[in-house]
Amino acid sequence: MALSLISLNINWDLQWPTVEPFLRTSGADVACLQEVYEADIPRLKETLGMGYVSFTPSMFIDTSRGRMIEGDAV
């Protein structure tokens, strides 16, 4: 059985408009994403139709949206 995996280092505020369509059309079975804001996990699940997302926080970061927790999502 073949498994398709994508690994991206992204910045939501800057690259989401490019990353979202790429992930939608990639057909990947698993997506490993770095620099994801924890607050965006529900949006990620909804817009990409994902049933499960695992998030590991790594740090607090000050953004234009306020202080956010940034980490890795699979």
Side-chain angles (χ1 to χ4, degrees):
M1 177 175 111
L3 183 68
S4 175
L5 173 74
I6 289 177
S7 178
L8 297 172
N9 186 328
I10 63 173
N11 180 314
W12 280 111
D13 292 337
L14 298 176
Q15 298 178 13
W16 178 248
T18 303
V19 169
E20 179 186 5
F22 172 75
L23 289 173
R24 282 183 182 273
T25 60
S26 71
D29 298 305
V30 179
C32 302
L33 307 174
Q34 296 173 303
E35 297 184 19
V36 174
Y37 298 144
E38 183 178 42
D40 290 330
I41 296 298
R43 175 178 150 198
L44 176 68
K45 288 176 70 172
E46 182 180 331
T47 59
L48 299 177
M50 296 178 163
Y52 178 78
V53 176
S54 175
F55 178 79
T56 303
S58 61
M59 67 179 165
F60 287 99
I61 186 167
D62 293 321
T63 74
S64 61
R65 295 166 49 192
R67 190 162 212 192
M68 306 285 277
I69 298 173
E70 183 179 271
D72 303 323
V74 177

